[in-house]
Amino acid sequence: MDILIQNLLNALQWGSFYALIALGYTLVYGVLLLINFAHGDVFMVGAYVAFFVATFFLGIVDLSPGLTLALTVPLTMLLTAGVGVTLERVAYRPLRRKGAHRLYVVITALMCGLMLENSNLALLGASRKKFPELLDKVIYTWGNVSVTNLKLIVILTAIAVFILLEFIVTRTKIGMAMRGISYDKFAIPLMGIPIDNVIVFTFVLGSGMAGLAGLLFAMSYPILEPYMGALIGWKAFIAAVVGGIGDIRGAFLGGFLLGFIEVGVVAIFPSTYRDLFAFSILLMILWIKPTGIFGVAKTTKI
Amino acid sequence: MSKMILRTVMAVMVMSLAFVMLTGCSKEEEKIKIGFNIPLTGDIPKVGEASKNAAEMLKEDINSQGGLEVGGKKIPLEFYYEDNESKAESAVNVALKLIEQNGVVAIIGPNSSKQAVPAGGTCNDNRTPMVSPWSTNPDTTKNRPWVFRAAFLDPFQGPVAVNFAAKQFKAKTAAVLFDISNDYSKGLAEIFKDIWEKKNGADSVVAFVSHGTKDQDFSAQLTKIINSNPDFIFVPDNYNQVALIIKQAHDLGWTGPFMGSDAWGSSELMTLCGKDCIGQFFSTHYAAAGAKGATKEFIDRYSAKFGETPDDVAALTWDATRLVLQAIQDAGSFNSDVKAERKAIRDALSSVKEFAGITGSMKFDEQGDPIKCAVVVRIDENGQFVFAESVCP
């Protein structure tokens, strides 16, 4: 029983990262029908931004770890959002203006991801970075179950972000505009809605969440490397598709589902079977429901 | 029209490539060319960096005296550092590039067994002597007359870890966490399990759990291990993974000891791992703290030059490179024909019976493997690797 609860907690933490990244994929896809393959690398950039911000405040300004954390969270989200918006501005918007087919935009996104990875490698070198400790670690133990305060924060943040996004998209005006663009991006400008601003806002939201995920990831697994975003980004994308890409509940559920399956497979079988089993299960879900768990067949997304 | 331009561009590219390859082979002034097949990027970049630093230091030493004296003539050294990205397939490509394009007379590296086992096959097939500084997996040199190494073997390191842990932790049961896609980690884990169970009875390895190279979350594996309640955890893994594993084990409430292997011994371990690693033990090739004689001299010079204590890879690269230079000198004269020189180096290497390296003196067996001592070090409060025990065969 203990081992089950412990693994549930492990899976909740691991799934939180997938969910946070999957939310970014789903937002952009929901609005633009664009699969932003650079998103996993935006997550990596988020982790590095958090590293530089945190070491700057800790080392150079000499603040206390708690205050550093309080400053690092908003700054990381803001700066990472800036990177996401820059990508949109430099790579995606010109293509959209020229009316390029979606396929070319997806390929552009793939290239952007590779450029982010390799420019990081070129600029900062191959050596790993160690993320400083910003939180005093507290371990809560019940019987054989242990959980750190950080683990709880990660899980709660993922849930809070989900609720916030769900609120923004369904209850606010800008959320309505996002859904409107998703529905018909040619009619929406005619209603006087500044389509570019709404798209930029979408990228701000998605990349900000990726930045937050990067910060939390760096705190949980404090070793940073240039390629850290690639694999987890791919898997979060798959989680978003399984949940029904374009749907916020889908991304959230898909992320946690993948986390649960991966940790569950490792807990029972040798780790070699992890990806094989995890993705076989996801494939079966897509066989039964090709649009994903919450997916709708066509047109309206988000 | 645009097709025309495209063709022209392609033709230019092909021609320039051919030009580069041709010039690469042309005759220049006589130099001893040695290749380094090392990981400068990928999972363990610090290992490649340490290797390169040690090699640079050695090259400067010799070239500042006009070169290596071979048969009364001084020939300067030229080193080629090629990045194998810590990948098995790149290590093979790098080996081929060094052999065919750069025309090196011998190759130092790769360091990790994951790359050294496949690259050893390539060097052996292409009749180029290769000396791996750090690889401890037996398969690297097995039935490969052209492949040598400067490190001890896992069948020797395994029992060292078993005996030390049994004595130090008074342990009866052990758990093992290893990287299944790394020849080194998997081989050593299996050897360890085998010997531990021979000593302490069947099922005394209570958990034998694997993970993948790119894994960052080990919580499911560690939950399994902690639940089986071992006396200690054996982690034959690379230093970057060790840092994550130990931290996560502590997060899950594990307070018991760890035992590690020589892949822990990077100078970057403590930067990445921090206070979580303090008090842990691992077996390695030499202990920098408290070294004497030539070893101390090397450590002091290296520290002064690069600002950090040299790890075992740096020391072993130094030894491996010196071994090759020794073989060139032993061969008597330097042959300008690369193939003949490679053969001469191999013959000289295989007839080396004893070599006094800074990681200890080594005797070579007929397989090209040195028989040398291992040390166990403890990570002290300041993050120094201090000598705990020495084990000789």
Side-chain angles (χ1 to χ4, degrees):
Chain A
M1 192 61 201
D2 280 351
I3 199 166
L4 187 72
I5 297 172
Q6 182 70 64
N7 272 324
L8 278 179
L9 285 166
N10 296 342
L12 275 173
Q13 185 193 22
W14 191 234
S16 296
F17 294 114
Y18 284 141
L20 279 170
I21 301 168
L23 283 170
Y25 275 111
T26 242
L27 273 178
V28 171
Y29 185 85
V31 174
L32 284 177
L33 295 182
L34 156 67
I35 299 162
N36 182 11
F37 274 125
H39 193 68
D41 297 301
V42 172
F43 158 79
M44 175 276 290
V45 170
Y48 271 83
V49 166
F51 168 79
F52 285 115
V53 171
T55 42
F56 172 75
F57 282 122
L58 271 182
I60 299 172
V61 186
D62 201 21
L63 296 177
S64 70
L67 202 58
T68 306
L69 181 63
L71 285 168
T72 307
V73 174
L75 268 175
T76 303
M77 289 178 72
L78 218 67
L79 290 171
T80 316
V83 173
V85 171
T86 311
L87 280 184
E88 197 269 334
R89 206 50 178 261
V90 174
Y92 309 148
R93 190 181 290 184
L95 283 169
R96 197 168 66 238
R97 287 273 158 78
K98 289 201 172 111
H101 190 272
R102 263 164 53 201
L103 178 66
Y104 302 110
V105 190
V106 170
I107 291 168
T108 311
L110 273 173
M111 289 189 284
C112 289
L114 287 172
M115 277 164 63
L116 286 178
E117 281 171 16
N118 291 300
S119 49
N120 179 334
L121 189 66
L123 282 174
L124 303 172
S127 244
R128 304 293 198 264
K129 298 266 182 289
K130 153 92 178 166
F131 196 79
E133 276 182 35
L134 300 179
L135 205 62
D136 281 331
K137 188 163 71 184
V138 185
I139 304 175
Y140 308 102
T141 315
W142 301 277
N144 283 331
V145 180
S146 293
V147 60
T148 56
N149 49 354
L150 181 63
K151 212 171 212 171
L152 292 177
I153 290 173
V154 169
I155 297 166
L156 291 177
T157 309
I159 295 170
V161 163
F162 162 68
I163 293 171
L164 178 76
L165 287 185
E166 183 77 22
F167 175 79
I168 290 177
V169 168
T170 56
R171 297 272 189 283
T172 62
K173 253 187 183 158
I174 191 142
M176 197 194 269
M178 284 160 78
R179 282 181 292 148
I181 295 173
S182 167
Y183 192 78
D184 188 342
K185 70 174 166 188
F186 299 105
I188 280 289
L190 304 177
M191 313 285 176
I193 293 169
I195 183 165
D196 279 343
N197 291 359
V198 178
I199 289 170
V200 164
F201 180 72
T202 312
F203 273 88
V204 167
L205 271 187
S207 308
M209 297 314 149
L212 185 63
L215 168 66
L216 291 171
F217 193 87
M219 288 172 74
S220 312
Y221 309 100
I223 294 174
L224 308 183
E225 54 129 347
Y227 296 102
M228 62 186 280
L231 197 62
I232 195 168
W234 277 99
K235 286 185 172 177
F237 165 65
I238 294 167
V241 171
V242 170
I245 191 156
D247 189 282
I248 290 178
R249 285 165 304 161
F252 187 68
L253 189 82
F256 277 107
L257 189 69
L258 184 55
F260 275 101
I261 297 174
E262 281 198 0
V263 169
V265 170
V266 178
I268 300 166
F269 302 101
S271 67
T272 9
Y273 295 124
R274 188 180 69 177
D275 289 354
L276 179 68
F277 276 36
F279 292 104
S280 303
I281 293 169
L282 299 187
L283 190 65
M284 275 186 264
I285 293 174
L286 289 182
W287 269 344
I288 299 162
K289 203 163 183 313
T291 50
I293 297 168
F294 284 107
V296 199
K298 233 172 49 182
T299 57
T300 330
K301 291 269 181 178
I302 236 187
Chain B
M1 185 63 199
S2 66
K3 220 173 199 173
M4 191 77 170
I5 295 170
L6 197 74
R7 275 189 191 152
T8 325
V9 168
M10 274 170 75
V12 168
M13 275 165 74
V14 167
M15 272 157 71
S16 54
L17 208 73
F19 180 73
V20 168
M21 283 162 104
L22 281 172
T23 49
C25 299
S26 72
K27 279 265 183 298
E28 352 167 348
E29 76 165 302
E30 197 164 54
K31 272 182 177 161
I32 299 175
K33 293 179 183 173
I34 295 177
F36 286 79
N37 190 345
I38 48 179
L40 291 166
T41 59
D43 294 329
I44 45 173
K46 195 74 193 174
V47 166
E49 193 190 315
S51 262
K52 189 178 173 185
N53 285 349
E56 280 290 290
M57 203 166 105
L58 184 62
K59 189 179 87 176
E60 271 180 37
D61 275 6
I62 289 171
N63 281 356
S64 66
Q65 294 165 2
L68 186 76
E69 195 170 327
V70 187
K73 205 168 82 176
K74 289 205 167 177
I75 310 171
L77 300 179
E78 185 162 4
F79 287 177
Y80 295 91
Y81 305 102
E82 287 290 338
D83 177 20
N84 62 32
E85 302 167 74
S86 317
K87 288 182 194 153
E89 62 276 14
S90 305
V92 170
N93 290 338
V94 163
L96 283 172
K97 184 181 174 204
L98 287 168
I99 294 167
E100 285 163 7
Q101 261 183 55
N102 299 335
V104 299
V105 292
I107 290 177
I108 308 292
N111 281 312
S112 185
S113 298
K114 184 180 172 182
Q115 291 101 44
V117 174
T122 312
C123 290
N124 196 53
D125 294 345
N126 286 285
R127 303 180 150 264
T128 305
M130 168 182 135
V131 185
S132 172
W134 203 45
S135 165
T136 51
N137 191 302
D139 289 342
T140 306
T141 53
K142 200 171 185 184
N143 299 326
R144 288 170 177 170
W146 292 78
V147 184
F148 304 84
R149 75 172 97 214
F152 52 62
L153 293 190
D154 287 334
F156 171 63
Q157 182 174 204
V160 169
V162 165
N163 293 331
F164 181 83
K167 197 176 67 184
Q168 177 76 27
F169 311 136
K170 299 184 179 58
K172 292 275 168 266
T173 55
V176 182
L177 178 60
F178 64 99
D179 183 347
I180 195 149
S181 44
N182 184 342
D183 288 342
Y184 160 76
S185 187
K186 183 166 174 280
L188 186 52
E190 279 162 0
I191 289 164
F192 178 89
K193 181 173 191 273
D194 206 40
I195 295 167
W196 186 270
E197 293 196 332
K198 264 192 200 129
K199 198 178 152 100
N200 294 295
D203 296 327
S204 54
V205 171
V206 289
F208 191 70
V209 193
S210 65
H211 67 81
T213 298
K214 290 276 169 209
D215 282 5
Q216 281 152 318
D217 185 276
F218 303 92
S219 54
Q221 287 97 328
L222 288 165
T223 301
K224 213 191 249 181
I225 286 175
I226 293 169
N227 225 264
S228 63
N229 205 13
D231 289 334
F232 74 101
I233 307 175
F234 181 60
V235 187
D237 246 324
N238 282 332
Y239 62 89
N240 55 334
Q241 286 154 337
V242 168
L244 286 172
I245 289 170
I246 295 189
K247 185 184 175 320
Q248 287 173 36
H250 287 164
D251 284 356
L252 290 166
W254 171 260
T255 50
F258 285 91
M259 177 80 206
S261 58
D262 63 307
W264 284 37
S266 169
S267 53
E268 215 173 52
L269 176 74
M270 290 317 289
T271 341
L272 297 179
C273 189
K275 61 177 186 290
D276 283 297
C277 275
I278 282 169
Q280 315 298 353
F281 294 90
F282 63 92
S283 54
T284 184
H285 305 274
Y286 91 131
K292 290 188 281 288
T295 316
K296 183 167 184 343
E297 193 190 322
F298 167 76
I299 291 169
D300 290 345
R301 284 180 53 211
Y302 186 101
S303 317
K305 199 167 157 74
F306 302 107
E308 62 187 25
T309 314
D311 47 26
D312 55 347
V313 189
L316 287 169
T317 307
W318 178 274
D319 277 356
T321 318
R322 270 186 53 222
L323 202 58
V324 169
L325 300 182
Q326 177 77 48
I328 294 171
Q329 284 174 323
D330 286 354
S333 66
F334 190 75
N335 202 325
S336 51
D337 176 32
V338 174
K339 280 190 179 148
E341 179 57 25
R342 285 175 185 161
K343 176 98 175 52
I345 292 176
R346 191 211 81 86
D347 292 346
L349 272 172
S350 63
S351 61
V352 170
K353 288 282 169 268
E354 195 162 354
F355 178 78
I358 56 169
T359 56
S361 74
M362 23 189 149
K363 292 190 175 78
F364 287 86
D365 63 8
E366 60 282 359
Q367 201 64 257
D369 297 329
I371 304 162
K372 60 196 284 198
C373 301
V375 293
V376 177
V377 299
R378 189 177 81 89
I379 305 174
D380 75 359
E381 289 64 36
N382 306 319
Q384 298 279 344
F385 301 158
V386 290
F387 177 87
E389 195 184 71
S390 166
V391 185
C392 292

